[in-house]
């Protein structure tokens, strides 16, 4: 085997090896890029001057890039919202609203997960929040642990899909498609999945009432007082959603502008709800800064890694490998989906979006799906959203699903077997949703084609 | 060994202070974005706004460039801070099964062979290629109304990676103390081999829920107030 085949392959293997050592991913990527650059120099496949591209690319790709400014702003918005306490108010009101429905409490958790997803998009935090807030109550009310944990894990991960999603911003940047197209395209698939969850919960609660018993909140407010409560708890998130998503969908603001307005809106909300103090503001800034630097650390590390990987012939190797399989466009798509699904067990969306997506993107852009997707310009957005749905599925798939770990960590008293068993129907729903989006690309492409006219 | 630990603490404190200062950049960023959106709407109804001193000082092009300038400093200056606060994502599946000593060895070797060479390379190359070149050329925005002096934002790479190197040095020293130092210093040095992200998130949310329970007793969330549950 020649060096240009051995080095990139070894690079991928080393990446897997060192990432699993538990050393920070961002730093493994940067360090490995460097190490293989020097290895490449030793065997004559790389030159010292090629390293010059590293800082140039870091600057041009991550600093001088106004699209990515949306990421810190969405993080700030989400962190601030968490502090504003609107989630607690919302869950309480949703419970009251859905208390006559079969499986009302689980339905209200799903709805809350969907609404949270539409205001932020950090899934680890969402799953922990929902687990601590709703799981004890669901168990106390007699829900089967499987139903309760399945509902929380799946609704808590909707955030990576439903706009505004930080992941979609990063994907748009990687694939060079407009952020707005991905946001608008992801809306229906996200709602479709939430709808499937609600349908399943209600069916299950009707057929097996003992697994999801109805609520009895006798002292619930009634009449005008109740209407007031509903308005008071729904107004803040609806206001933010209209502000952020509305202005993007209507074309009034770019996603970056909308994110800044959303950050200010969330701060004002916290102020009006008397949760904003100097200490809270400071905490939100520090915490958002850590999350943001974590994402951009990987971004920068992946820049270094993929630069060396490509220079050593890595993308060529992968393309050749895929072509030699001779499995046609659908086979390639299926294979990529499988790889992403499996990686999603172990890695966070950040690593997958920043390392794997750039490797596969040029291949997908060149695939010919005939007129399955309609216009050729929609192939990448369609692929990106399939990728997102797929990734979300892998987060809730036992035994290694990411969200399941967060949940178990936040609720150590729940038996992991119950979590595994309870999530299975939701995985089936996810796969149904994924299959629907694959078969009927209109679910993804229709809304952008109408809105962006 | 005690001296090494003090040096490590000092380096960590400096990096942390820089990150904490930079974290406040979120606020000017959001305000500049708001200004940019508002002034565009304002120009539609009141075109004379273009003549005002404010618009002369910060036209749209400048505002938009200022947004990514601020972000560049925000995330670059927080790279080291995030490492000090153990905020860089780790894949924990196998790590959880390692002993504290194994984890410490991994951290030590990682700092030595991955982080330090990587940061030194980026600092060295960006100082010459980005900052110095840009300074010599007197490089500014390609837009006539954009921001001048590109060397300032380009120096964010040098400073940011510089502090990441300092953070790595601090963590490296701690682990030397942990692995080779006397028994009594170990508990002081092992901050990074313990860290548990989910546990920290959990504590935050629990504080939040306690606050909520104080404000809204009718909500009855979480496990703490089980006695209030209707169907116990």
């Amino acid at each position: 085997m020649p060096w240009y085949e051995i080095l990139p392959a070894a690079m991928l293997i080393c990446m897997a090896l060192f990432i699993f050592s538990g050393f920070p991913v961002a730093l493994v990527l940067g360090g490995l890029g460097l190490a293989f650059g020097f290895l490449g120099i030793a065997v004559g496949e790389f030159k010292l001057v090629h390293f010059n591209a590293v800082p140039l690319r870091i600057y041009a790709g991550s600093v001088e890039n106004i699209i990515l400014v949306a990421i810190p702003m969405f993080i700030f918005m989400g962190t601030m919202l968490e502090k504003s306490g609107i989630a607690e108010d919302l869950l309480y009101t949703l419970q009251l609203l859905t208390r006559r429905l079969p499986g009302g409490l689980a339905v209200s958790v799903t709805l809350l997960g969907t609404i949270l997803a539409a205001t932020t998009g950090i899934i680890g935090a969402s799953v922990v929040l929902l687990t601590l807030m709703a799981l004890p109550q669901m168990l106390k009310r007699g829900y089967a642990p499987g139903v309760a944990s399945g509902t929380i894990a799946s609704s808590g991960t909707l955030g990576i899909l439903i706009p505004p999603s930080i992941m979609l911003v990063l994907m748009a940047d990687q694939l060079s498609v407009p952020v707005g197209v991905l946001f608008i395209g992801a809306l229906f698939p996200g709602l479709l999945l939430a709808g499937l969850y609600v349908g399943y919960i209600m069916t299950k609660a009707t057929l097996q009432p003992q697994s999801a018993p109805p609520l009895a909140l006798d002292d619930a407010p009634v009449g005008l007082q109740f209407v007031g409560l509903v308005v008071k708890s729904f107004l803040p998130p609806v206001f933010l959603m209209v502000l952020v998503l509305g202005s993007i969908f209507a074309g009034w603001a770019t996603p970056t502008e909308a994110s800044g307005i959303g950050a200010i809106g969330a701060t004002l909300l916290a102020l009006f709800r008397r949760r904003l103090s100097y200490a809270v503001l400071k905490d939100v800034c520090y915490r958002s800064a850590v999350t943001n630097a974590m994402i951009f650390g990987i971004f920068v590390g992946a820049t270094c890694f993929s630069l060396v990987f490509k220079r050593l012939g890595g993308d060529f190797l992968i393309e050749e490998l895929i072509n030699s399989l001779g499995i046609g466009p659908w086979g390639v798509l299926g294979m990529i989906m499988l790889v992403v699904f499996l990686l999603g067990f172990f890695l966070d969306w950040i690593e997958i979006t920043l390392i794997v997506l750039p490797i596969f993107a040029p291949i997908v852009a060149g695939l010919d799906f005939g007129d399955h997707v309609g216009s050729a310009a929609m192939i990448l957005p369609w692929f990106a959203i399939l990728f997102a749905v797929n990734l979300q599925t892998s987060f809730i798939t036992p035994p290694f699903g990411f969200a399941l770990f967060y949940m178990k960590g936040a609720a150590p008293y729940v038996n992991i077997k119950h979590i595994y068993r309870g999530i299975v129907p939701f995985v089936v729903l996810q796969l149904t949703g994924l299959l629907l989006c694959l078969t009927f690309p209109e679910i993804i492409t229709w809304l952008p084609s109408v809105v962006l006219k | 060994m005690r001296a090494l630990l003090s040096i490590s603490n000092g380096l960590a404190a400096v990096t942390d202070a820089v990150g904490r200062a930079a974290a406040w950049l979120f606020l000017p960023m959001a305000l500049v974005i708001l200004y940019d959106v508002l002034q565009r709407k304002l120009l539609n109804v009141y075109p004379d706004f273009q003549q005002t001193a404010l618009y002369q000082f910060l036209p749209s092009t400048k505002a938009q460039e200022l947004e990514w300038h601020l972000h560049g400093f925000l995330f670059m200056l927080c790279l080291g801070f995030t490492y000090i606060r153990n905020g860089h994502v780790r894949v924990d599946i196998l790590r959880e099964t390692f002993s504290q000593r194994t984890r410490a060895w991994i951290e030590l070797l990682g700092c030595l062979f991955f982080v330090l060479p990587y940061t030194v390379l980026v600092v060295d190359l960006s100082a010459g290629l980005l900052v110095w070149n840009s300074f010599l050329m007197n490089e500014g925005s390609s837009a006539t109304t954009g921001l001048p002096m590109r060397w300032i934002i380009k120096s964010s790479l040098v400073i940011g990676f510089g502090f990441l190197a300092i953070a790595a040095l601090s963590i490296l020293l701690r682990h030397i103390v942990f692995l080779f130092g006397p028994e009594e210093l170990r508990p002081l040095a092992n901050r990074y081999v313990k860290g548990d992200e989910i546990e920290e998130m959990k504590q935050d949310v629990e504080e939040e829920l306690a606050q909520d329970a104080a404000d809204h007793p009718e909500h009855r969330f979480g496990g703490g107030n089980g006695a209030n549950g209707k169907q116990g």
Side-chain angles (χ1 to χ4, degrees):
Chain A
M1 253 167 75
W3 285 113
Y4 58 81
E5 285 185 3
I6 295 172
L7 280 177
M11 218 173 159
L12 289 181
I13 294 167
C14 284
M15 176 177 76
L17 217 66
F18 287 113
I19 278 183
F20 280 105
S21 76
F23 196 67
V25 176
L27 307 173
V28 167
L29 289 172
L32 270 184
L34 201 70
F36 273 85
F38 282 116
L39 268 179
I41 292 173
V43 298
E45 288 285 324
F46 196 86
K47 290 194 182 69
L48 198 55
V49 296
H50 291 151
F51 278 131
N52 287 356
V54 173
L56 296 174
R57 199 71 67 83
I58 291 174
Y59 173 75
S62 56
V63 178
E64 192 180 27
N65 188 337
I66 197 158
I67 295 168
L68 296 179
V69 173
I71 290 173
M73 289 290 104
F74 281 134
I75 294 173
F76 185 89
M77 174 179 157
T79 315
M80 185 59 94
L81 274 181
E82 207 182 298
K83 288 272 156 195
S84 70
I86 63 161
E88 288 89 341
D89 276 10
L90 256 178
L91 183 58
Y92 181 63
T93 313
L94 283 168
Q95 279 175 29
L96 297 180
L97 280 173
T98 58
R99 72 180 186 278
R100 304 208 192 289
L101 293 178
L105 182 54
V107 171
S108 67
V109 170
T110 308
L111 294 178
L112 177 66
T114 314
I115 296 172
L116 285 184
T119 52
T120 170
I122 312 167
I123 61 155
S126 295
V127 172
V128 172
L129 179 74
L130 285 179
T131 304
L132 290 174
M133 200 161 66
L135 190 61
Q137 206 183 4
M138 291 173 95
L139 297 177
K140 209 156 59 193
R141 295 262 148 80
Y143 272 67
V147 177
S149 55
T151 305
I152 291 175
S154 48
S155 343
T157 44
L158 274 177
I160 64 161
L161 183 60
I162 294 186
S165 145
I166 297 165
M167 182 174 86
L168 293 180
V169 178
L170 276 180
M171 278 188 168
D173 181 67
Q174 297 283 334
L175 297 171
S176 308
V177 297
V179 180
V181 173
L182 291 195
F183 274 15
I184 298 170
L187 189 67
F188 278 166
L191 294 179
L192 171 75
L193 289 172
L196 288 174
Y197 302 160
V198 171
Y200 164 74
I201 293 166
M202 288 175 57
T203 315
K204 171 113 179 156
T206 312
L207 297 178
Q208 296 176 307
Q210 73 281 7
S211 68
L215 272 184
L217 285 169
D218 316 323
D219 55 348
V222 284
L224 263 183
Q225 202 192 352
F226 181 59
V227 175
L229 189 69
V230 172
V231 171
K232 215 180 105 206
S233 57
F234 270 87
L235 207 58
V238 168
F239 157 77
L240 265 185
M241 258 188 270
V242 170
L243 203 63
V244 175
L245 290 184
S247 58
I248 297 173
F249 281 32
W252 295 334
T254 65
T256 302
E257 289 165 354
S259 69
I261 297 170
I264 300 240
T267 314
L268 291 179
L269 262 183
L271 183 71
F272 290 143
R273 297 175 51 89
R274 298 182 193 178
R275 289 293 189 90
L276 192 67
S277 61
Y278 174 73
V280 167
L281 191 61
K282 191 170 79 171
D283 189 45
V284 170
C285 279
Y286 290 0
R287 212 181 296 196
S288 311
V290 168
T291 309
N292 188 50
M294 177 267 277
I295 293 177
F296 279 90
I298 298 181
F299 197 108
V300 166
T303 305
C304 178
F305 182 90
S306 58
L307 214 110
V308 175
F309 183 72
K310 281 184 184 154
R311 182 58 77 176
L312 292 174
D315 48 352
F316 181 69
L317 183 78
I318 298 233
E319 207 179 316
E320 206 172 87
L321 192 74
I322 287 182
N323 286 339
S324 70
L325 292 174
I327 45 180
W330 286 100
V332 172
L333 184 69
M335 196 203 66
I336 293 176
M337 287 290 148
L338 186 69
V339 170
V340 171
F341 182 74
L342 294 176
L343 286 174
F345 286 169
F346 307 101
L347 302 180
D348 211 341
W349 61 265
I350 309 165
E351 293 96 296
I352 298 178
T353 310
L354 291 174
I355 306 167
V356 182
L357 191 62
I359 295 180
F360 287 141
I363 299 170
V364 175
L367 293 180
D368 181 14
F369 291 99
D371 47 6
H372 181 71
V373 190
S375 74
M378 282 310 287
I379 287 192
L380 276 178
W382 173 64
F383 167 72
I385 289 159
L386 291 178
F387 194 97
V389 175
N390 183 1
L391 212 48
Q392 195 215 338
T393 311
S394 73
F395 289 157
I396 61 168
T397 307
F400 300 118
F402 222 72
L404 306 181
F405 278 125
Y406 275 93
M407 186 158 196
K408 177 73 184 158
Y413 51 84
V414 179
N415 189 331
I416 192 85
K417 279 197 199 115
H418 286 147
I419 298 184
Y420 287 170
R421 218 174 299 145
I423 201 72
V424 170
F426 288 91
V427 174
V428 174
L429 294 177
Q430 286 289 131
L431 293 176
T432 313
L434 183 61
L435 215 61
L436 284 173
C437 292
L438 256 171
T439 329
F440 306 105
E442 295 80 11
I443 301 173
I444 294 165
T445 59
W446 181 76
L447 195 59
S449 73
V450 178
V451 172
L452 297 174
K453 271 265 155 66
Chain B
M1 280 296 164
R2 202 167 278 278
L4 284 188
L5 194 58
S6 311
I7 297 173
S8 165
N9 286 339
L11 296 176
V14 173
T15 317
D16 203 66
V18 170
R20 274 180 298 167
W24 287 101
L25 290 176
F26 275 107
L27 305 182
M29 263 172 83
L31 290 174
V32 170
I33 294 176
L34 183 70
Y35 163 82
D36 186 37
V37 175
L38 289 182
Q39 62 88 18
R40 201 176 55 214
K41 302 285 168 219
L42 194 63
L43 278 180
N44 287 338
V45 289
Y46 175 61
D48 284 349
F49 180 68
Q50 253 177 334
Q51 309 307 323
T52 61
L54 179 62
Y55 189 84
Q56 299 289 328
F57 176 68
L58 197 62
S60 189
T61 331
K62 270 207 179 89
Q64 286 178 13
E65 289 191 1
L66 192 55
E67 289 163 23
W68 60 257
H69 272 63
L70 290 169
H71 181 230
F73 277 106
L74 170 66
F75 84 83
M76 282 291 174
L77 295 184
C78 287
L79 288 176
F81 163 78
T82 299
Y83 193 20
I84 289 289
R85 298 203 163 198
N86 204 10
H88 284 299
V89 166
R90 300 169 185 272
V91 175
D92 270 337
I93 295 177
L94 292 180
R95 190 169 191 260
E96 281 169 359
T97 63
F98 298 158
S99 70
Q100 292 213 348
R101 276 196 89 75
T102 314
R103 294 186 197 182
W105 269 110
I106 290 172
E107 208 68 21
L108 187 143
L109 295 175
C111 282
L112 201 58
F113 292 108
F114 282 170
V115 193
L116 288 176
Y118 171 49
T119 47
V120 167
L121 178 97
V122 175
V123 167
D124 180 44
L125 291 180
S126 23
L129 284 171
L130 293 173
V131 184
W132 189 235
N133 262 357
S134 172
F135 183 76
L136 288 182
M137 291 191 310
N138 198 14
E139 186 197 6
S141 170
S142 52
T144 44
T145 53
L147 292 171
M149 296 189 273
R150 277 290 187 269
W151 62 268
I152 297 180
I153 178 62
K154 290 187 170 178
S155 65
S156 69
L157 266 85
V158 179
I159 306 170
F161 272 81
F163 279 107
L164 181 58
I166 292 176
L169 202 60
S170 162
I171 290 169
L172 177 73
L173 293 177
R174 291 194 96 74
H175 289 98
I176 291 178
V177 175
F178 180 78
L179 287 169
F180 308 112
E183 192 75 48
E184 73 270 15
L185 286 182
R186 264 182 219 171
L188 297 173
N190 73 346
R191 204 162 81 211
Y192 300 90
V193 284
K194 279 201 305 196
D196 185 345
E197 185 202 4
I198 301 178
E199 198 52 42
E200 279 164 27
M201 276 187 182
K202 196 179 152 185
Q203 278 166 14
D204 288 335
V205 176
E206 272 165 357
E207 275 168 32
E208 185 59 39
L209 288 178
Q211 164 97 41
D212 183 69
D215 294 353
H216 302 279
E218 77 278 10
H219 283 181
R220 299 183 206 119
F221 295 133
N225 44 3
N228 295 335
K230 272 277 155 193
Q231 294 194 336

